[in-house]
Amino acid sequence: EDQVTQSPEALRLQEGESSSLNCSYTVSGLRGLFWYRQDPGKGPEFLFTLYSAGEEKEKERLKATLTKKESFLHITAPKPEDSATYLCAVQHDAGNMLTFGGGTRLMVKP
Amino acid sequence: ETGVTQSPTHLIKTRGQQVTLRCSSQSGHNTVSWYQQALGQGPQFIFQYYREEENGRGNFPPRFSGLQFPNYSSELNVNALELDDSALYLCASSWTGEGAPLHFGNGTRLTVT
């Protein structure tokens, strides 16, 4: 059974204070690992897909990396508008369904 | 490009009632899936439809059922509502291609009293 664990559950940062969010996963046959951002009262917004260990993707202040057991979402010099819940999910090779972690709630204070 | 739209945005029902939630897929997408998100948790997969057939189901009882229409819009039906069914219900659409990302709507907030 696929499992995804995210840590920490919540993270408070000062504006400009860089940090990383962790996503540990167990999946039989990884088709893709996905990162989403979710604002309160909204649906998840797609950020990145990573397909194989060693792969990296970047978008503005965010950088996602992937190993065989973990993925990290690095946030460089965050701004208050980066405050949101960040969700990690895996898709295994038997279908399109996603297994999500519980998310990391990020709060960036000015 | 039109994104995924869901209706209604909020709904209050009484235990034992039935509910139907609706979703319009993003233009060009042929697969639709539904997820349940309890407060403070990640979304959980309910089921997926492709070409109007269910082709994947999570650990949800048969009282959760769905439909996909020829225009790729979809419905989620829940019978005999229970208090634990209170959650945000998310619809997502995608292509069936390998590793294709799911694009989510903003959900329907269902409260069962």
Side-chain angles (χ1 to χ4, degrees):
Chain A
E1 184 178 317
D2 301 348
Q3 286 194 335
V4 180
T5 303
Q6 292 188 245
S7 62
E9 290 185 4
L11 181 62
R12 291 176 182 264
L13 298 174
Q14 288 295 128
E15 185 172 1
E17 179 186 3
S18 301
S19 188
S20 295
L21 282 55
N22 176 265
C23 171
S24 298
Y25 66 91
T26 304
V27 63
S28 55
L30 180 70
R31 177 179 277 189
L33 185 139
F34 299 80
W35 282 98
Y36 285 86
R37 169 191 170 129
Q38 187 173 27
D39 293 299
K42 304 278 189 179
E45 176 190 347
F46 171 70
L47 293 173
F48 304 109
T49 310
L50 301 167
Y51 297 102
S52 57
E55 190 173 0
E56 299 182 351
K57 293 268 179 81
E58 284 189 69
K59 179 179 180 180
E60 297 180 358
R61 294 177 291 282
L62 300 177
K63 179 179 176 180
T65 62
L66 181 65
T67 73
K68 289 187 177 180
K69 294 184 179 180
E70 296 177 302
S71 178
F72 293 92
L73 185 65
H74 307 279
I75 303 177
T76 302
K79 298 182 177 182
E81 53 261 42
D82 294 323
S83 297
T85 295
Y86 290 85
L87 296 164
C88 167
V90 296
Q91 185 183 71
H92 67 66
D93 56 12
N96 274 21
M97 65 165 281
L98 296 180
T99 300
F100 281 88
T104 293
R105 189 161 63 97
L106 174 66
M107 293 155 282
V108 182
K109 291 191 170 184
Chain B
E1 185 177 84
T2 306
V4 178
T5 57
Q6 294 186 241
S7 62
T9 54
H10 295 84
L11 203 51
I12 299 174
K13 289 286 189 178
T14 302
R15 190 172 52 185
Q17 286 187 318
Q18 178 265 341
V19 68
T20 297
L21 310 182
R22 293 180 173 82
C23 170
S24 292
S25 298
Q26 183 167 318
S27 177
H29 288 174
N30 57 8
T31 300
V32 66
S33 49
W34 287 89
Y35 287 77
Q36 180 195 67
Q37 186 175 26
L39 205 59
Q41 298 183 22
Q44 283 198 295
F45 175 70
I46 303 175
F47 45 57
Q48 176 180 279
Y49 279 81
Y50 171 66
R51 290 186 175 178
E52 303 171 50
E53 297 281 335
E54 184 182 297
N55 72 340
R57 189 177 185 95
N59 189 26
F60 281 81
R63 59 189 185 84
F64 285 78
S65 63
L67 287 173
Q68 184 186 29
F69 300 101
N71 64 354
Y72 303 125
S73 65
S74 176
E75 286 182 356
L76 164 65
N77 299 288
V78 187
N79 294 322
L81 284 167
E82 301 177 359
L83 297 179
D84 285 348
D85 295 334
S86 295
L88 181 68
Y89 288 85
L90 295 163
C91 172
S93 69
S94 69
W95 281 108
T96 54
E98 186 169 318
L102 274 61
H103 295 270
F104 287 85
N106 284 329
T108 293
R109 171 71 63 187
L110 173 65
T111 302
V112 182
T113 61

